[in-house]
Every structure is written in structure tokens, then in C-alpha cells.
Amino acid sequence: MRLSLLGKADDDEAHQDSVWTCAWTTKGDLLLTGSVDETVNAYKEVDHKVKRHHNFTGHTLGVICIATDVSGEYVATSSLDSSIRVWSLDTLDTKDVIETNPSETWAVCFNPASESLQIAAAGGSNNNIALYNCDQTHVPISSLSLPVADENFKKDRFVLSVAFSPNGQRLACGSQDGTVAIFDVTTGKFMHSLEGHFKPVRSLTFTPDSKMLLTACDDMHSHLYDVEHASLVEAFSGHESWVLSVACHPSGNSCATGSSDSKVKLWDMSSRSCAQTLSEHSDQVWDLAFNVSGNRLASVSDDKNICLYDYQQ
């Protein structure tokens, strides 16, 4: 398995500030990116480079997270302005805007098994996950709370990251104190915590079979967990600073991590070893994502660059 750089966004089509988040749609291979410049760009690949297709505006502070729904028709974004915006990728219009209290919304994701457009939002300082249905009341339809911390060892439970399993049965979240919590989606009940991290867990994602969870943490490690048995399977080490992002290849055979050491690493999930290290960015890599077909990886950074890689198994 190997990644090869295809190209970067041209300066006149790139963001004007740090790029913090990216995601691919499930149809059309459209790449969405969000930036501190308060905008969301949609790109298409043209001649092995990303070319801007559309620029979405509406947020008034930096964009923290982007998520696309399973149909590939909608994109949701969260921002430091404490709002969640949902756009139609067909009409390019705003579908919904959900306003929340300051610092109560961080990462967002769509429920892949919901018949409606259901969004889970990492609740930030609220220490929970809020579930919203688009086009309905903007009050959460439910709230999943993290277990109460031991009063003798009370820590900051600011919730940073959230992810649904591909089968829609489990919901995971990561927090400032290293807690990784697993919830049953059907019952809304807390199942268990995954132990091993003690610093902020900024990103997490399930493997395609929904059995394992990958995490990215400020402790310079990415962990692989068995979700149902709440056991640590592997701790990937090698980055020289915070691990800010993790993405799993659609085949489940590999994963990629981005770090504040400016590196992107490709990991072999069978041997659980580092297959490649890439140094195309000059500043911390906040996010990365594989496309649905698995032949492309995108990474975004504080250096304002959007890197597009070819992936070969």
C-alpha cells in the first residue's frame, strides 16, 4: 500500500486561512473543506488537482467540522460561531441552521441508519452528545450524557469528537480528558468507556465492519479498540506531536493519521505497522479523509494547503 501526492489546490482556489476539516461525499467524489476563513469549499478533481466547484458562506467564525450524509446529498458543518449549518449539494442552498449556546457544539456527524436527516453533535462544554433532526424543532430530540467523573479525580469532560458506526448501532465520542465513550443508538444508553488515553481525543472513526474504533489523541498515539469488548487492540506510535486526525480506508486494510508534527502517516491494519510517512505539509495536519472508492486521500492543514493523494493497495 502506498500514497503518492497528485497535487495541491492552487493559491487562487485555496482557503485564505488554516483549513481544519475535510470530507468526501458518497457520490460524485466531491471534496468539502472548512476553514478558519469562515467558508466551506467544494472541490472536484481535475487533472489530478482539486478545482473549486462552489464556495459556501454563512458561518461567522471558523469552521470546525464537516460531515456528509450517506445519500451524498447533504453536508453539515459546525463552527466556532456555535451553529450547525446544513446545505443541499444538489441545489447548493442552505437547508437548515441550528443555533446552539456558546461552546456547546464541536464535531458533527450524520446517522447513516436514520430515515430522517439526524445529526449528532459533540456537546463541547455540555459534556454530552446532542441529537438533532433537520427540518424539525432545533431543540435536541435527545441528549446522551457521558458518565459522571469521579469527584476525587474530576477532569474536564469537554466533548470534542463524535462518530456513528457504519451500521448505525453505536455512537462514539471523545473528550478533553481522554474519555472515549460508547453508546447504544437504539436505547440511547451508555455502554462503556474505552480506556488508554489521558489527553484530548480530537478525532475518531469506526472501521467499515463497525467492530473496531480508531482514535487520534494529543498523547501522540492513535488507538485501535474492540468496541463490543471495550479492549485496546493496538496503540500506533510514531508521530512526534499530537495526533489530530484519523481516517480508515473503505477496505479496512489501512488507516491514515495526521499530526501537529506536519506529517501524514499510512498504517497497515494487518501488520499494525507504519507503511509510509508523508511530509507534504509545512504545518499541523488537522484532518484527512479517504474517498468512498478508496483511491484518493485528502489532507488539510494550518498551512492552508489541501493535498490530494493517490492510494494504491
Side-chain angles (χ1 to χ4, degrees):
M1 58 188 65
R2 188 162 185 83
L3 290 167
S4 302
L5 181 70
L6 290 175
K8 302 179 181 181
D10 292 334
D11 289 344
D12 60 343
E13 296 198 336
H15 287 282
Q16 301 304 305
D17 209 328
S18 300
V19 191
W20 280 353
T21 179
C22 65
W24 295 87
T25 60
T26 56
K27 66 176 185 180
D29 272 354
L30 199 65
L31 175 65
L32 287 304
T33 61
S35 169
V36 177
D37 68 13
E38 304 171 6
T39 69
V40 174
N41 282 345
Y43 293 96
K44 290 184 176 180
E45 181 182 344
V46 179
D47 296 329
H48 298 322
K49 296 178 72 174
V50 289
K51 296 293 184 179
R52 190 165 61 199
H53 169 66
H54 187 72
N55 175 253
F56 296 93
T57 60
H59 284 299
T60 57
L61 288 173
V63 180
I64 303 168
C65 183
I66 290 179
T68 57
D69 80 314
V70 69
S71 73
E73 296 178 0
Y74 298 99
V75 56
T77 58
S78 59
S79 165
L80 292 173
D81 64 15
S82 301
S83 73
I84 300 169
R85 302 185 74 92
V86 181
W87 282 281
S88 166
L89 292 174
D90 288 334
T91 66
L92 303 179
D93 294 327
T94 301
K95 178 176 176 60
D96 204 1
V97 180
I98 301 170
E99 303 284 353
T100 68
N101 292 327
S103 77
E104 288 187 6
T105 296
W106 211 250
V108 292
C109 62
F110 283 100
N111 184 346
S114 175
E115 294 182 358
S116 61
L117 275 180
Q118 186 181 94
I119 295 173
S125 58
N126 244 3
N127 301 337
N128 68 7
I129 303 169
L131 298 178
Y132 298 92
N133 272 346
C134 294
D135 292 335
Q136 296 183 15
T137 174
H138 291 166
V139 176
I141 57 172
S142 64
S143 179
L144 310 180
S145 298
L146 269 68
V148 178
D150 188 325
E151 291 296 327
N152 295 321
F153 300 96
K154 203 163 188 179
K155 298 178 181 179
D156 185 2
R157 280 278 172 88
F158 193 100
V159 184
L160 292 166
S161 50
V162 64
F164 278 103
S165 61
N167 62 15
Q169 296 178 8
R170 300 289 181 259
L171 184 62
C173 71
S175 65
Q176 189 85 12
D177 69 349
T179 298
V180 178
I182 304 296
F183 295 87
D184 182 285
V185 173
T186 302
T187 64
K189 291 184 178 179
F190 167 76
M191 293 177 60
H192 45 244
S193 294
L194 305 179
E195 305 295 335
H197 290 305
F198 299 95
K199 290 187 177 182
V201 177
R202 298 184 183 271
S203 174
L204 35 73
T205 186
F206 284 85
T207 54
D209 61 8
S210 299
K211 294 180 179 179
M212 302 285 184
L213 183 75
L214 285 156
T215 60
C217 182
D218 282 10
D219 62 12
M220 301 191 292
H221 288 79
S222 174
H223 284 179
L224 177 67
Y225 292 98
D226 182 317
V227 175
E228 297 305 306
H229 297 94
S231 58
L232 177 63
V233 176
E234 187 64 59
F236 298 104
S237 63
H239 282 294
E240 298 175 356
S241 188
W242 302 350
V243 184
L244 302 174
S245 52
V246 61
C248 190
H249 189 269
S251 68
N253 294 332
S254 61
C255 68
T257 53
S259 167
S260 56
D261 65 8
S262 307
K263 303 292 194 299
V264 170
K265 285 184 178 289
L266 180 66
W267 305 87
D268 186 322
M269 294 286 277
S270 297
S271 63
R272 293 171 192 158
S273 61
C274 182
Q276 188 180 3
T277 300
L278 298 104
S279 305
E280 302 297 341
H281 288 288
S282 60
D283 210 332
Q284 49 195 8
V285 181
W286 277 106
D287 203 6
L288 34 71
F290 286 101
N291 65 355
V292 174
S293 59
N295 66 332
R296 295 289 185 264
L297 176 77
S299 63
V300 296
S301 166
D302 269 346
D303 64 10
K304 308 178 190 177
N305 275 320
I306 302 164
C307 289
L308 182 68
Y309 309 87
D310 175 69
Y311 176 88
Q312 296 292 330
Q313 186 63 47

